[in-house]
Amino acid sequence: MTLSPAELLPLLMRRKREGLPITVLTAWDAPSARWAEAAGVDLVLVGDSLGMVALGHATTLPVTLDAMVHHAMAVQRSLRHTPLVVDLPFLSYQCGSDSAMAAAGRLLQQTGCHGVKLEGAEAETLVVVDRLVRHGIPVMGHLGLTPQSVRQLGYRRQATDPVAQERLRRQARQLQDAGCFSLVLEHVPEGLAGDLRRQLDLPVIGIGAGDDCDGQVRVTADLLGLTPRQPPFAPALLPGEQLFSDTLRGWVDQVRTPLAAAATTPADPEAQRC
Ligand code: KIV
């Protein structure tokens, strides 16, 4: 069963109405997309976290639109029925709504995704959201810890004082009014996420925002223990890095062992005479 692009918003809204938690996992290539779909998630996200997870960068800042397209196409090839949302990377939507429209349109055209995600709610960003939505591109918002602002915010928990909380509440409402179909809240206090879940019509999907959300999103590599930097709010469910490297070391040892044994065994003088 393939989800028609227009069904994404109704699907998530229905989940929120029925109180059924929404599950979202990231994918960065064809195998990770297969794992996410086999797990039965509601939505797959190609996050720009692929910069750290798959490309060896320290932050999401170097991730380009070309890289997002390349990886999202690989992810899409594995998905049979799960809707896909792709991150707009740094600089693809901050330089004006024309270039944002072109970037989001390219993601839709070339990757077959159902929508895009962007970070923040600055005045210019709200203009972009409004334009994308009016031109038929579903947009997911992202507030709280926004990794594209790491140089300013670090990876600290956000909205920890009343002024910052009020600002975040206002921005969440503005994103909803601009037409976002859902909102990711990252690394913010649980009470704030819960309030927003109740106040907003759009589904609030948390990561490091407590359980009182309409759904949860996780970076798949974090859950599998395959990430170079484990966030405090997403503990690994298995020691993936260790398991993988131990397994591969076992293979290397297995291949080397007979050769090493032969190399150290003294030649048999009887065999030499034959
Ligand atoms: O890039 C990403 O993987 C994300 C998730 C943390 C929501 O934005």
Side-chain angles (χ1 to χ4, degrees):
M1 189 272 294
T2 309
L3 187 90
S4 99
E7 286 174 290
L8 176 59
L9 177 57
L11 171 88
L12 298 187
M13 293 305 294
R14 201 166 56 240
R15 292 271 162 152
K16 176 163 180 138
R17 257 196 330 272
E18 292 169 358
L20 287 174
I22 296 160
T23 52
V24 184
L25 281 174
T26 66
W28 54 92
D29 60 7
S32 56
R34 273 201 313 276
W35 306 334
E37 185 163 88
V41 287
D42 298 304
L43 189 69
V44 165
L45 170 71
V46 179
D48 57 1
S49 57
L50 75 83
M52 291 88 99
V53 166
L55 302 179
H57 295 303
T59 70
T60 60
L61 297 177
V63 178
T64 61
L65 185 62
D66 284 348
M68 294 305 295
V69 168
H70 181 74
H71 284 261
M73 284 169 73
V75 165
Q76 185 59 276
R77 283 181 210 117
S78 280
L79 298 180
R80 297 287 166 268
H81 53 81
T82 313
L84 175 66
V85 169
V86 180
D87 264 355
L88 279 165
F90 184 57
L91 287 188
S92 69
Y93 60 95
Q94 290 91 341
C95 304
S97 75
D98 284 350
S99 54
M101 186 69 211
R106 186 174 163 211
L107 287 175
L108 253 68
Q109 276 187 329
Q110 297 186 356
T111 75
C113 67
H114 293 72
V116 299
K117 176 165 83 57
L118 50 66
E119 297 182 6
E122 297 311 316
E124 300 87 342
T125 312
L126 294 171
V127 169
V128 165
V129 173
D130 173 70
R131 179 159 172 193
L132 298 187
V133 172
R134 280 189 299 104
H135 288 86
I137 302 182
V139 181
M140 177 183 253
H142 184 158
L143 293 175
L145 197 175
T146 44
Q148 291 177 18
S149 303
V150 62
R151 296 282 187 256
Q152 214 159 33
L153 305 179
Y155 289 116
R156 281 187 304 280
R157 199 152 79 118
Q158 298 298 308
T160 50
D161 63 77
V163 174
Q165 293 191 357
E166 199 35 54
R167 180 166 180 264
L168 194 141
R169 286 176 205 276
R170 190 180 63 248
Q171 291 186 325
R173 278 192 301 273
Q174 287 172 323
L175 285 173
Q176 172 167 284
D177 293 346
C180 279
F181 71 87
S182 61
L183 174 65
V184 168
L185 274 187
E186 180 166 356
H187 211 10
V188 298
E190 176 159 6
L192 176 63
D195 283 352
L196 285 170
R197 176 177 82 74
R198 281 178 286 280
Q199 286 160 11
L200 297 172
D201 295 327
L202 55 69
V204 170
I205 302 178
I207 171 165
D211 294 338
D212 197 7
C213 297
D214 297 307
Q216 297 290 330
V217 53
R218 291 293 181 276
V219 174
T220 299
D222 289 343
L223 295 185
L224 298 180
L226 294 175
T227 200
R229 187 180 164 278
Q230 198 75 37
F233 49 80
L237 302 178
L238 87 165
E241 189 83 32
Q242 193 69 48
L243 280 176
F244 282 16
S245 53
D246 286 354
T247 304
L248 296 178
R249 192 173 305 112
W251 177 82
V252 169
D253 290 347
Q254 203 183 353
V255 171
R256 282 183 183 152
T257 305
L259 292 176
T264 55
T265 307
D268 177 355
E270 289 298 316
Q272 272 173 359
R273 267 202 291 279
C274 297

